[in-house]
Structures are given as C-alpha cells and as structure tokens.
Amino acid sequence: MYLLCTISVEKLSYCMTASCLNNRPAANVQDKQCGGGNTVEMETYITIAIGLLTVVLGTQCADNTWGGLYPRESESREVRSLDGLWNFRLAPLEDPEKGFREEWYAQPLRKTGAVISMPVPSSYNDVTQDKALRDHIGWAWYDRTFYVPTRWQEDKQRVVLRLGSAHYNSIIYLNGVAVTSHEGGHLPIMSEITSGLVYGQENLVTVAINNTLTPETIPQGSITYHDDLTRYPPGYFTQSYNFDFTNYAGLHRPVYVYTTPRTYIEDIFVTTDISGTDGIISYDIITATTKIGPKRLNDAPGCSMKVLDKDGSHVTSAIGCQGSIMISNASLWWPYLMSEDPGYLYTLKVAVSDTEGILDVYPQKVGIRTIGWNSTTLTINNKPVYLRGCGKHEDADIRGKGVDYPLIVKDFSLLKWLGANSFRTSHYPYAEEIMDMADQEGIMVVDECPAIGLSGFGETLMNKHISVMEELVHRDRNRPSVIMWSVGNEPRSDQAAAKDYFRLVVAATRAADATRPVTKVVAATKAEDSSRPVTCVLNRPKYKEYAGSSLDIILVNRYYSWYSDTGHLEIIKLQTVTEFTEWHELHNKPVMISEYGAGSMPGLHTDPAFTWSEEYQAELMLQNFEAFDELRKKGYFIGEMIWNFADFATPQEYNRPGACMKGLFTRARQPKLAGHLMRVHYWSLAQKIDNVTVPEGVGRLGSVYNWKNL
Ligand code: GCB
C-alpha cells in the first residue's frame, strides 16, 4: 500500500519525455511513501513523469490506493458533481516540466496561458481537430473552480474530492496545494479536502495527468528515442505499447465533491450465502473519524442497518459493525435469462451512530448469490452457468473512454438484445457506472485488471500488479455481477519467470477477496479463502506456459483461421476442439474461450466468404459454434466470449483501418451480419440451457443460422 505522507514541501524528481530526451541521463523516479522511499533506476528509454516538480502535500496522510465508497447521497451525505467543461492545456512536448516549474496549479490555468474547454468525463484526444492533442504524450493540465457552502463548515462536514479515474499518472491540487497523487488509469482516486477548502468562496481544483507508459507501468509501454538525425528531428520520440486499443487519456470518469459527517462509514464489505430458501448477508462495516477538526464522538460509534427490498420496503434490521443477517425466502441475484427477475438487489441502509443519534448513513446495494467452481463447472446459486458473452472496450467516437450514460444504456440494451449474459472488462477495470448496470441487469462480469501483454515479470512490476489487483478487488468486491477476477490478458507467460510471478499475483488476489473478520460463510473451503475464481486470459502454447497452473479457471484466446491458417475456415472446428480438450486435460480445470473472431468491414460482402467481409466473420463464427457445441458436451467447457462486442479505435497502423473491426456491432453500435447471427446463437443457447422463450423477431433477418436450433 502506497501512502502519501505528511510532508510540507516534497520534491519529487521525475524524468520524462523531452527533458530526458535531450540529455537523457539515467534518471530517478522517487516515490515518496510513508515508511520509506522507493527509488527506481530508469533505463534510458523509460519515461514516466516529466521534469522536476515540486509537490506540496496537505497535512494528512492519504491512502492513495483506496478510492473510497462510491459517492452516494443519503440522509447524511451530499454529493456535488464537478463534471462539465474544465479548462485544459497540454504541457509542451519539448518542455514537459513547464507546468510544474511555472506552478500552473497555483492559479487558474487561464492566467498562465491559453486554455481550451475540455469536457469531463471524456478522453481529451478526439474532441478537437488538433493532431497534437490527439497524439500527445506527457503531461496535460485540467482545472475548474467550484463553490462549497459555508453550511458544510458550520455543520462540521468532512469533504472529499473523488475522481472516478485519471489516465495514467495524476497529481491533484486544491487551491494550489497537491492533495493526492495516483498511479494507474482505471481506478478511483480520493482525497479528503475538508481543511483545504475555502467555504462560501471559489475553490480551484487542478489535475496534472500523464499518459506515458513504461515497462514498469500497468499496462506497459515504452518510449523510443529516435537518435538518427538524418531521419528524425532532434529530440524525436514515440510511444509504443503491447496492446491494440488507443491509449486514450484524460479524466474519463465523473468527478465529485461529497460530504460525510466527521465520523463516517469508511468502508463496507459484504458477502452472501444461501441456505435453503434463506439468504445470508455477512457484513463488516469500517467506521472512521476524520483527524481534522473537533471530534463529535462521545463513545465508539455503533453500527446498525436496515435491509430494504427492491421496492424500498423494509425487510429486516440488524445491529453491530460485523455480523450476519438472515433473510427468509430471499430473492436471489440471478444472471439475465436465468430468472424472471434477474439482478435482484437489496439495499443495506448502513448507519453509524453515537449516543446522540445517527451520524452517517450509506446505502449499499447487495445481491444475494453464491459462486462455486470445481474442476469442470462454474455455478451461481449452485446452478451451472454457461457464459455467453463478449470482450468489450470502453470506447466510442469523440469521447474515447469517457463515461457516457447513453452509451452505457445502449450497450446493455444490445447485450440483452443478443441474449448474452456476460462480458469481460477487457483490458482494464471499467467505470463504476457500468458495473452498477451489470449488477442491476444481472450481467455477469469477468473483472480484469489493466495488465495486458505483460512481459519482464520483475519484482517491481509484480508489486505494482498486486497493488492494482488489491485496488480493483477493494473497489468491486461487493458487486454480485463480478463472478471472476482476471489478473491479466495474454501475458508472455511462456517466460519461466511467469510461474512464480503469477502464483504470487493470484494468491494476493485471492487473499484480497477474502479479508473479512466475520464468520466465513462463503467458500470457506477454497484455497486461500477466495470467494471468486481467479483467472488470467492466456494465449501462449499450453505446454510451454507457466501461468495456467495457478489459476482456478482457464480462459484462452484463439483466432483460428484469422491469425493462423487465414482463410481456412474448415480447420476451425478440429483445432478448437483439440485445443480446449488439451487445456482441460493439462490442468483439470474448467476452460472457456475468451476471444475468437475475425475483422469485418461493415458493408463488405463476398460470397464465397473472403477475409474482411461480413460473410467471413459470420462463417468463422458458425465454425466456432460447432466446435463449442462439441466441447460443451464434454462437460468442462464453461463459456464463450467473442472478440469483440463493437469495433473500437486503434492507433495508426497498416493492418487496421484505424479500428479493430472484429465487432458484432459497428463503433456506432449498429449490428453487422455477425451481430444478427450472434443474436440467434445466444438466444438459441439460452433456450437450450436456461429454457427461456426466444423473443419474437430473433432471426427475422434471414437464415443466417441453423434454424432447427430454435
Ligand atoms: C487479442 C487481444 C485483443 C486484440 C485482439 C485482436 O488477442 O487480447 O486485445 O484486440 O487480439 O483483435 O488482435
């Protein structure tokens, strides 16, 4: 756990981009931590931060690996959105540390130079016509002003600033003072700002954000300095990374200021179990009192809670900060199409009180369900599940990876239209607003961290990887939709160092998902006490692969007849059946295909099917479906996820037209032939496996599939 310490003025020396470009010394990145600093020798090609910067931190020690409970209004809490148009400026490529040297955070950005308006949440890359903004590498600066009422001060409220994410490294300032910093682009950042605010007057929040990826960031990337002055201008550098999606940057998720009382509910951890028709909710509530200002507490706080059903009616109550509640005849959380009422959520209205009465209240959603697994099967509520899903991306035009409510609703609507019951958060944790929808709609999620295409497997990387998994588990552990953790996608796990590396990362993930003092009711017999299976999406040859032995469930990506034997659709069935049979035999664990597919240009038609046509994509799917049907009969093949839900943006390259075209839907979310085909396939599976009635209209658009299945 990294803690930002009580220091008045701390110099963090970061070397990055252009200043390192020109003289390129081996530079140090110093991470000031509570309990000792950590110095990383940087290779010349590495770039992390930029320039020499002075960070003035506040007076408290902030845990910057825990983004706090999602800001929700309650009887005791107020939430204010800081979304909207912020002021924005890029640091110059050739002088990346300029903003720190000139202290752009000390006054409104518009006073230190030109600014443009930048929407939050959104990626900054695609919102203008400016190529420099689209392709920027290094620091970018955001700021805006806001007011908080004097009432908050009079009422002795604790005030918190929370950013859903900031990609990738960020430093956050309030009224010119750095209040926290965060590494990692996909998880929340929070800072208590009670004492740094001016009440009833204008406050300034500034965020410096850096999208540079290095061999020791997660995900990894590298900067290449092009030295040949006959071919490149002086100081020329480019960034590359081991993944195909655009490394969008910016404030991608909502920014909030919210209040809690000075004694407040800091954290809630729930697990659930079922016993006959009863549901059991085990809970652990952590209370805290801010160190700032007078304490109101007379005694140690006590906890109590009410359980409300989906309609808000009172079901039962309980007292105590730890314990279990039994709900007779509970409505269970079921995945979509496995129940008439999928995604059933209770609300736990948690309260913390002292002798004078209730201090703080937080509404925590809870879905009652169990997850089980053995060597062949994954179960929800003791019923085997077959995952019918998609790999996805947070991606859309203009906004890039910015949270967009219409897009969220559209995507869930399309998943349900397909008859899908699951997706993977490929290849990073998705916004909490998306995860809320998954909980509520009953869509199962394989929750993945940003470790894509990892190689190297050194200790520094591993510690960071573990820290990201802990952050992710901490954020999402109460979510019923999360049925599996994925510690990464396609690591270079044929490197021998991967063995210990993944053993330790997986063990840390299991431990993070199990830290609870209450009587364990869930998965008490599972190794290392995890309540969910842990996986990693593999793609190396199975007999020379070192991560699989540490996993609970084997997920494998295979692109037969696309990246191998291109054009030879007829080999898919044989190769796929052989491949997954062998993975199961090797590890004696459930297996599933987590990616397969082909690119198609919408509107390109060929008969017979030819690569890049819509027909080729559809024919490739049909061949895969036949293989999956055969594998399913073997009893250990637990799911299929196509790559990808929708076309998504990629960097400029010669083998892709600006996007990965493997979507069932276009980037604008219109179905390709593949989308219509998948709809028939998934509904047909839902009918066979979950006994659902196929809705009117499925397959209406022609005999793209084997109708006798319906
Ligand atoms: C993969 C990756 C995914 C890519 C996909 C492709 O194996 O996991 O991120 O987009 O291949 O289309 O190449």
Side-chain angles (χ1 to χ4, degrees), residues 3-227:
L3 295 175
L4 277 176
C5 258
T6 305
I7 43 178
S8 52
V9 179
E10 185 59 40
K11 285 208 163 156
L12 299 184
S13 65
Y14 285 122
C15 178
M16 303 220 74
T17 62
S19 61
C20 296
L21 306 175
N22 297 330
N23 39 17
R24 301 215 247 139
N28 285 339
V29 174
Q30 285 206 316
D31 238 353
K32 190 71 185 175
Q33 301 165 13
C34 281
N38 170 25
T39 302
V40 182
E41 278 301 311
M42 295 180 71
E43 313 238 4
T44 48
Y45 60 90
I46 297 179
T47 295
I48 289 191
I50 284 171
L52 187 68
L53 51 121
T54 302
V55 179
V56 184
L57 292 172
T59 49
Q60 73 267 39
C61 203
D63 172 359
N64 66 350
T65 64
W66 166 223
L69 294 169
Y70 189 86
R72 299 199 193 281
E73 284 186 320
S74 75
E75 293 83 336
S76 60
R77 295 177 172 224
E78 278 185 57
V79 179
R80 291 196 167 190
S81 168
L82 294 190
D83 292 351
L85 293 180
W86 290 47
N87 303 305
F88 179 88
R89 183 189 311 140
L90 294 178
L93 280 186
E94 67 292 350
D95 186 9
E97 69 271 32
K98 188 171 182 193
F100 299 104
R101 208 178 49 246
E102 294 183 356
E103 301 187 348
W104 288 355
Y105 49 83
Q107 52 185 321
L109 267 183
R110 68 186 151 70
K111 295 206 172 158
T112 50
V115 291
I116 61 168
S117 293
M118 185 55 67
V120 174
S122 177
S123 299
Y124 59 67
N125 309 75
D126 290 347
V127 297
T128 73
Q129 308 307 107
D130 186 355
K131 177 176 171 313
L133 180 56
R134 187 192 65 194
D135 299 339
H136 182 69
I137 304 167
W139 290 105
W141 292 78
Y142 285 77
D143 85 1
R144 68 160 286 166
T145 53
F146 65 99
Y147 284 84
V148 289
T150 46
R151 173 171 52 80
W152 286 5
Q153 191 174 35
E154 287 153 16
D155 292 350
K156 297 191 170 35
Q157 294 296 292
R158 166 180 169 263
V159 187
V160 177
L161 172 67
R162 189 186 197 266
L163 294 81
S165 72
H167 189 78
Y168 173 82
N169 271 316
S170 54
I171 304 173
I172 292 115
Y173 302 85
L174 177 72
N175 297 326
V177 176
V179 289
T180 192
S181 67
H182 188 260
E183 175 173 348
H186 310 90
L187 289 162
I189 307 160
M190 125 181 130
S191 177
E192 181 178 333
I193 54 171
T194 317
S195 60
L197 286 165
V198 279
Y199 292 83
Q201 289 175 50
E202 201 170 65
N203 290 276
L204 177 69
V205 57
T206 308
V207 182
I209 185 169
N210 192 320
N211 62 352
T212 309
L213 302 177
T214 80
E216 284 177 351
T217 56
I218 292 184
Q220 292 169 309
S222 59
I223 297 288
T224 305
Y225 300 106
H226 300 275
D227 285 341

Side-chain angles (χ1 to χ4, degrees), residues 243-245 393 424 426-427 452 489-490 537 539 557 559 562-563 595 643-644 648 650 656 660-662:
F243 48 89
D244 69 343
F245 52 94
H393 266 297
R424 173 165 64 112
S426 38
H427 296 299
I452 176 166
N489 181 74
E490 299 187 352
V537 174
N539 78 335
N557 297 343
Y559 286 91
W562 186 254
Y563 288 128
E595 288 183 24
W643 193 255
N644 188 285
F648 59 87
T650 57
R656 294 211 170 131
C660 178
M661 304 302 295
K662 296 188 183 74

Side-chain angles (χ1 to χ4, degrees), residues 385-401:
V385 284
Y386 184 74
L387 300 178
R388 309 180 297 268
C390 307
K392 281 186 99 274
H393 266 297
E394 292 181 317
D395 177 86
D397 63 354
I398 304 171
R399 59 199 67 54
K401 293 197 178 303

